[in-house]
Amino acid sequence: MTHPYKTREGGATVTIFVPYDCRNHCPFCVNKQEYAHAEGFSVEAILKSIAVMDEITPRCDFVFTGGEPFANLKALQRMLDAIPTTHKVYINTTFPVQPGCSAEEMIAFTERNRDKITCINISRHLTKYVEESPDEVVARIATPKRVNCVLYMDYPADELVDYAERWRKYNIPVQFRYDYTETTPENLYQEEGDKILADLKKRFTYKGLDGCRMRNGYHFDYKGLHMTYHKTLPYSTIVETGDDGVTYDILYDILIKQTGEIHSDWTGVKLDVDAYRKVVYEPYDLRVREGTIDF
């Protein structure tokens, strides 16, 4: 930490890396290296860090990612149970086909936790990188749900409409995602030369754009299905001087690593927990920039 912290009202989003890996090797995954060495991975340490973050910002959002959160339902339940109901909770998952845990067990887990989980985000890409549970299983997830699709390198653009039809059948919203490792402050809002944006505008009805310093979303409609094209920077701290003349580290995401260690950025920077207890709050700068996103 080189400056005092600032974050949005409610607190920075806290992303929890579950302390167990997935069985997949998706080429765009930036988390896989996080699981190369499992020394020190600890549910107990994560539970302690959840309590710390809840104490400081009792209304921040929590996100479980991995690895694969659904690979260990017992551990995931313990971590979920440690988060009070003042927080929204999201889970990023492939909703995997895996030995020792059936689709029925995972569906039952979502039913038991429908009041705890705000939304489950399921990875389903145009190019199949993993063995996928059937779409009918995804549709049975008891919580609100969304499908995430990374449009990676030479993705098959001619399959976009069929992909939208696939999820319109179940009325499951879709979020298309840009390769985060390629995003910069200069191209975050740059539309000229953005092939993905052009491909989506050719095929779907563009509705509007929202965004902040860190990330944005272009919103589309396809026969009543809400779809978003999401771009975000590969780090989560913006350094900026405020109207008070003070230069702040403005935090959008805080990470609880598999060891329970708390970081202030995706780039390996540790959070100064005592300094974060004195964090300055500002209104969230996410806003609608054009059109409409509420449809």
Side-chain angles (χ1 to χ4, degrees), residues 12-285:
T13 297
V14 177
T15 296
I16 300 168
F17 284 74
V18 296
Y20 41 88
D21 200 3
C22 70
R23 302 169 63 239
N24 305 323
H25 296 84
C26 298
F28 46 78
C29 181
V30 297
N31 292 352
K32 195 65 181 178
Q33 62 189 12
E34 299 273 350
Y35 290 85
H37 303 283
E39 297 86 356
F41 286 13
S42 168
V43 171
E44 298 298 334
I46 289 173
L47 294 177
K48 292 178 182 177
S49 294
I50 289 173
V52 168
M53 299 315 301
D54 169 60
E55 176 194 354
I56 298 172
T57 52
R59 296 191 177 277
C60 66
D61 295 347
F62 280 92
V63 178
F64 287 97
T65 193
E68 172 50 62
F70 278 85
N72 187 328
L73 296 186
K74 183 179 291 187
L76 181 58
Q77 188 68 67
R78 290 186 66 199
M79 291 183 286
L80 268 178
D81 288 345
I83 300 175
T85 58
T86 54
H87 303 273
K88 293 181 178 179
V89 177
Y90 302 85
I91 300 177
N92 298 332
T93 176
T94 61
F95 218 68
V97 175
Q98 56 187 348
C101 183
S102 68
E104 292 303 321
E105 289 175 277
M106 293 190 293
I107 292 294
F109 181 93
T110 71
E111 291 170 346
R112 291 194 302 272
N113 291 283
R114 68 171 71 228
D115 295 330
K116 293 177 180 286
I117 301 169
T118 305
C119 185
I120 295 177
N121 302 312
I122 308 101
S123 295
R124 288 291 182 271
H125 310 298
L126 285 180
T127 301
K128 288 189 178 181
Y129 300 104
V130 304
E131 184 179 2
E132 297 179 351
S133 53
D135 295 352
E136 294 79 6
V137 170
V138 173
R140 290 176 55 207
I141 292 173
T143 68
K145 48 198 168 282
R146 184 185 72 196
V147 170
N148 288 345
C149 175
V150 176
L151 296 177
Y152 182 67
M153 296 183 69
D154 296 323
Y155 61 88
D158 57 351
E159 297 178 15
L160 283 167
V161 172
D162 288 343
Y163 184 88
E165 286 285 2
R166 173 183 173 185
W167 301 110
R168 189 176 74 90
K169 177 179 178 182
Y170 304 104
N171 195 32
I172 299 177
V174 173
Q175 185 179 92
F176 296 109
R177 294 190 165 203
Y178 188 69
D179 181 359
Y180 296 169
T181 62
E182 298 295 325
T183 315
T184 67
E186 291 73 29
N187 70 19
L188 180 62
Y189 283 95
Q190 181 179 316
E191 298 186 5
E192 184 178 353
D194 188 329
K195 180 182 182 300
I196 295 175
L197 184 61
D199 284 340
L200 295 175
K201 284 188 173 181
K202 283 179 188 175
R203 293 163 174 83
F204 310 119
T205 303
Y206 173 65
K207 302 292 286 188
L209 166 68
D210 67 342
C212 61
R213 304 176 184 93
M214 182 63 57
R215 56 182 68 95
N216 61 33
Y218 294 87
H219 295 258
F220 296 86
D221 174 79
Y222 177 70
K223 298 181 180 179
L225 181 69
H226 191 162
M227 300 186 296
T228 310
Y229 169 39
H230 178 66
K231 298 173 73 174
T232 189
L233 296 174
Y235 50 86
S236 61
T237 303
I238 299 289
V239 178
E240 192 174 282
T241 301
D243 295 337
D244 55 6
V246 178
T247 299
Y248 292 96
D249 285 351
I250 303 172
L251 306 185
Y252 282 79
D253 298 293
I254 289 171
L255 313 180
I256 297 177
K257 306 304 285 290
Q258 302 93 324
T259 60
E261 192 171 80
I262 304 174
H263 287 199
S264 64
D265 207 302
W266 297 83
T267 55
V269 181
K270 294 182 182 179
L271 180 73
D272 184 331
V273 174
D274 288 336
Y276 192 61
R277 294 181 188 278
K278 305 178 184 70
V279 66
V280 174
Y281 295 99
E282 66 175 9
Y284 192 13
D285 62 327

